[in-house]
Amino acid sequence: MGFVTGLKCRECGREYPKEPIYVCEFCFGPLEVVYDYNSIKKRLKKKLIASRPANMWRYVELLPIDDEPTSGLDSGFTPMIKADRLAKEIGVGELYIKDDSVNHPTLSFKDRVVAVALSKAREFGFDTVACASTGNLANSVSAQASMAGFKSFIFIPANLEMTKIIGSLIYEPNLIAVDGNYDEVNRLCTEIANKYNWAFVNINIRPFYAEGSKTMVYEILEQLDWKVPSHIVVPCAGGSLITKIWKGIKEFNALGFIKDKDTRIYAAQASGCAPIVTAIKEKSDIIKPVKPDTIAKSLAIGNPADGFYAVQTTKESGGYGEDVTDQEIIDSIKLLARTEGIFTETAGGVTLAATKKLIESGKIPRNESIVMCITGNGLKTQEAVAESLAKPYYIKPSLSSFEEKLSEIKGR
């Protein structure tokens, strides 16, 4: 028995029952899941959470399913790392990394949202799941659909990194590579979703799917011993994750798990696709669509569905936004690996590079606690950094050859 009372339009407030719908039929505003927080408050306690397995479902009362979860049973509760070496390098006192680059089963935060989406799709009685994706979502839907016994259709831009294509194909979905960018793929999928009786996790299941993102910040707060960090930096593509980070903080505050919600939330994007950050910097509520041109392909959504709400999140929380060049992304990927041993995908490079710029500009004070959300694994986007790395030292299989090379290395 879940605690969801229905869906509600974010714009006009019109209410709907729990169904696989995603926009208001009157004003076309996006729909949001509504919970019975009074009942949740009576049941969900810190002690109960702590008694449960270390996965994202330890907060099940705040997730939009009615039955027992059926997907992503080992997803979530990823490491929360105090990044002292990186903190020293960039000149701050208290820095943490929420590391979803090791999330199960496909090494990105998308495993959280897909776990909720497929559990809900099962409740609705679908036998086929689908998605429009820039790569990580494709990997996760492919994997979890295979594990749960769904048929799957995965739609991606044809120019995705090969490692992300292979990361989906290994699970044998129906992979459709579309000759177009993500925004064109998403438009096509919206048409298909209206025609076929499939559960598109990020279209007709979107209100439920997006709720899975909240578990990232639930974990951040629990892993910080129920204290709120002063600043959280979040990479933005469609803008959903940053809005759910803020929603999760407000929910934990309302439930009495944290004393305040005095956390500032920051949006991070690549300069080659920064419609959300541009609106923030221009102090505008209008998201101007752009044609993406960046190595950060997982964030390359030129017309973000939740862009307006992402901007509102930074406003409400007192945060800001920053964009970074492709070279700054590459440099930050290497810096994170060198200091903390974390190989992040390009989105993580965006997060760190934007964090550095926010600190250097004084937007984030150096003496306050900072959390960076690292959302994907660098093994998926090796092409982005391959040309910027040093080459191996080649030797013959002999000690003399090694020592000859070692003398050259020492001489450098």
Side-chain angles (χ1 to χ4, degrees):
M1 175 74 181
F3 293 87
V4 174
T5 58
L7 301 173
K8 186 175 182 179
C9 177
R10 289 186 187 178
E11 294 298 322
C12 71
R14 190 174 294 273
E15 296 182 356
Y16 294 86
K18 288 179 285 186
E19 294 178 352
I21 54 177
Y22 62 105
V23 295
C24 176
E25 61 186 31
F26 287 87
C27 72
F28 299 106
L31 301 181
E32 180 91 287
V33 174
V34 180
Y35 296 87
D36 177 1
Y37 288 113
N38 288 331
S39 296
I40 293 174
K41 193 170 185 176
K42 292 175 184 173
R43 173 172 169 76
L44 190 62
K45 308 294 180 186
K46 291 180 182 177
K47 189 174 181 180
L48 177 60
I49 293 172
S51 71
R52 290 172 168 171
N55 61 48
M56 58 175 275
W57 295 108
R58 63 204 274 117
Y59 318 102
V60 67
E61 287 84 356
L62 290 161
L63 294 172
I65 63 171
D66 295 321
D67 301 326
E68 290 295 316
T70 53
S71 289
L73 302 183
D74 293 316
S75 297
F77 221 75
T78 55
M80 181 75 166
I81 298 164
K82 192 166 188 297
D84 290 335
R85 281 173 53 84
L86 178 59
K88 184 177 180 181
E89 184 99 16
I90 64 178
V92 296
E94 189 177 0
L95 179 66
Y96 300 90
I97 295 169
K98 182 56 177 170
D99 186 13
D100 265 25
S101 74
V102 292
N103 205 1
H104 183 84
T106 65
L107 308 179
S108 89
F109 90 101
K110 292 294 186 182
D111 290 324
R112 299 175 183 274
V113 288
V114 171
V116 174
L118 266 58
S119 292
K120 199 66 194 176
R122 179 73 74 201
E123 288 182 8
F124 281 137
F126 289 103
D127 65 4
T128 302
V129 295
C131 70
S133 174
T134 55
N136 282 325
L137 182 60
N139 291 175
S140 189
V141 172
S142 299
Q144 296 199 47
S146 177
M147 294 163 68
F150 286 101
K151 291 180 283 188
S152 62
F153 284 80
I154 311 298
F155 297 81
I156 59 171
N159 68 345
L160 277 191
E161 298 95 338
M162 184 52 65
T163 39
K164 283 188 174 173
I165 294 174
I166 292 171
S168 292
L169 285 175
I170 192 65
Y171 303 105
E172 300 184 357
N174 297 294
L175 186 68
I176 316 296
V178 180
D179 183 16
N181 60 33
Y182 174 82
D183 299 293
E184 293 168 314
V185 174
N186 193 51
R187 279 196 294 273
L188 171 64
C189 287
T190 301
E191 291 181 38
I192 295 172
N194 289 332
K195 183 171 183 177
Y196 293 86
N197 187 33
W198 298 341
F200 268 86
V201 302
N202 52 343
I203 298 176
N204 54 354
I205 304 294
R206 186 179 183 85
F208 308 96
Y209 146 97
E211 292 290 285
S213 294
K214 296 187 304 183
T215 58
M216 178 183 280
V217 79
Y218 296 156
E219 293 171 16
I220 289 172
L221 298 173
E222 184 181 354
Q223 290 169 320
L224 288 177
D225 197 21
W226 307 102
K227 296 175 183 173
V228 294
S230 300
H231 311 273
I232 300 179
V233 185
V234 184
C236 289
S240 175
L241 174 60
I242 191 171
T243 66
K244 298 305 177 185
I245 292 280
W246 185 227
K247 182 177 180 181
I249 290 174
K250 290 190 289 187
E251 287 178 331
F252 265 21
N253 179 244
L255 293 172
F257 292 165
I258 54 176
K259 293 181 180 177
D260 58 56
K261 48 184 173 60
D262 188 21
T263 299
R264 297 182 179 183
I265 315 292
Y266 302 82
Q269 291 196 298
S271 300
C273 184
I276 294 171
V277 170
T278 298
I280 293 169
K281 289 184 173 180
E282 293 179 349
K283 299 181 179 178
S284 171
D285 290 332
I286 299 172
I287 303 296
K288 300 173 185 173
V290 301
K291 187 174 182 180
D293 182 15
T294 172
I295 62 169
K297 295 184 189 301
S298 64
L299 303 183
I301 297 180
N303 189 14
D306 288 307
F308 171 81
Y309 303 100
V311 173
Q312 300 312 306
T313 291
T314 61
K315 280 185 181 178
E316 287 179 27
S317 69
Y320 196 61
E322 190 55 85
D323 62 282
V324 295
T325 67
D326 284 356
Q327 187 58 54
E328 289 170 328
I329 296 169
I330 293 170
D331 292 344
S332 291
I333 291 171
K334 295 166 69 174
L335 174 61
L336 186 60
R338 176 168 59 80
T339 55
E340 298 297 335
I342 295 172
F343 185 16
T344 179
E345 68 163 15
T346 48
V350 171
T351 303
L352 174 52
T355 302
K356 286 175 59 185
K357 292 178 82 168
L358 289 162
I359 293 166
E360 289 162 3
S361 68
K363 295 288 185 185
I364 296 180
R366 294 181 183 274
N367 61 346
E368 297 182 359
S369 57
I370 307 164
V371 174
M372 297 192 306
C373 296
I374 300 301
T375 51
N377 194 292
L379 293 174
K380 298 183 179 188
T381 57
Q382 297 178 58
E383 293 126 291
V385 295
E387 294 301 317
S388 69
L389 301 178
K391 305 302 179 190
Y393 298 108
Y394 291 96
I395 63 171
K396 296 186 181 337
S398 68
L399 180 59
S400 60
S401 180
F402 168 69
E403 290 180 335
E404 181 181 346
K405 186 62 67 177
L406 185 60
S407 65
E408 293 178 21
I409 296 170
K410 286 181 176 177
R412 291 187 178 180

